[in-house]
Amino acid sequence: MNPKRVAILISGGGSNMVTLVDSMTGDHPARPCLVLSNEASAGGLAKAAARSVPTAVVDHRPFGKDRAAFEAELIKPILEAGADIVCLAGFMRVLTAGFVDRFQGRMLNIHPSLLPKYKGLHTHARALAAGDTEHGCTVHEVTSELDDGPILGQARVAIEPGDTPETLAARVLIWEHKLYPAVLRRFAAGDRRPVWLP
Ligand code: GRF
């Protein structure tokens, strides 16, 4: 069977992208076809190139507030790569409904909270400030509503005494690296049953 082609969008170090790329081997039903960043300085680009994954950069800055114009360029390498699935992995631009609709049902994102709690930014600090005893990460289908969409997996992480946003983020990231590959493998096989970790 022809493997599904996966484009991964990043803005930074790309640690989630690396775990996704490294997971797509052997009998995995998908293969990476592109790593695309809005930041030319994204450290993940070199990591993708080192893994022989084609890369591209579409800088959002020249487009200013014209999101649609940026997205009209952003979509080009994704279409040229023939992507069947798009994975957002530390991609820090909000996408409009126009872009999202093009990939409805085949675009995933990982968010560092137990959605629907803590949509948006600074999730670890907010969980600590709320006195939560647990936190975690969620992989969900991307819809035009930010950090919403059907949940495809979650990993729960205990908050420990003395945790700071940094120590908590580091522990959640370990579970992001377990969750996202597990969800992608199941999703690429056409199975949308959620993955619950641990
Ligand atoms: C991670 O915390 C992820 O949850 C969020 O971006 C952060 C950095 O991810 N989406 P990565 O190391 O660039 O994959």
Side-chain angles (χ1 to χ4, degrees):
M1 178 184 76
N2 278 340
K4 293 277 194 261
R5 298 170 63 84
V6 177
I8 306 171
L9 273 55
I10 66 170
S11 296
S15 72
N16 276 291
M17 173 275 296
V18 167
T19 56
L20 291 176
V21 166
D22 289 351
S23 75
M24 288 186 262
T25 59
D27 65 351
H28 191 298
R31 290 293 185 276
C33 66
L34 174 69
V35 169
L36 172 59
S37 180
N38 63 302
E39 292 282 359
S41 62
L45 290 167
K47 297 171 192 170
R51 287 164 173 76
S52 306
V53 180
T55 61
V57 174
V58 177
D59 187 340
H60 63 280
R61 291 173 185 80
F63 302 96
K65 296 205 178 314
D66 190 345
R67 290 185 186 278
F70 165 59
E71 291 171 356
E73 288 306 308
L74 187 73
I75 201 165
K76 288 178 184 171
I78 298 171
L79 298 180
E80 283 156 20
D84 302 300
I85 296 171
V86 176
C87 287
L88 307 181
F91 185 70
M92 302 309 277
R93 302 300 297 170
V94 173
L95 295 166
T96 69
F99 187 91
V100 169
D101 290 350
R102 297 286 296 267
F103 297 98
Q104 188 75 37
R106 55 200 185 100
M107 181 150 64
L108 311 182
N109 180 46
I110 188 158
H111 179 75
S113 80
L114 293 175
L115 291 174
K117 292 182 80 171
Y118 310 125
K119 298 180 181 180
L121 299 174
H122 313 303
T123 64
H124 313 298
R126 291 158 63 194
L128 289 169
D132 291 358
T133 55
E134 71 172 8
H135 190 38
C137 51
T138 302
V139 175
H140 63 95
E141 285 187 37
V142 175
T143 61
S144 51
E145 183 82 21
L146 184 67
D147 297 333
D148 202 80
I151 289 177
L152 292 170
Q154 286 193 322
R156 311 182 90 81
V157 176
I159 291 178
E160 294 172 3
D163 257 335
T164 65
E166 292 69 31
T167 62
L168 182 54
R171 202 154 64 247
V172 169
L173 195 59
I174 292 168
W175 285 95
E176 292 179 34
H177 296 165
K178 298 175 193 293
L179 179 67
Y180 213 166
V183 170
L184 176 60
R185 185 183 184 105
R186 187 174 283 192
F187 187 84
D191 179 350
R192 290 174 185 234
R193 285 176 302 141
V195 174
W196 305 118
L197 298 179

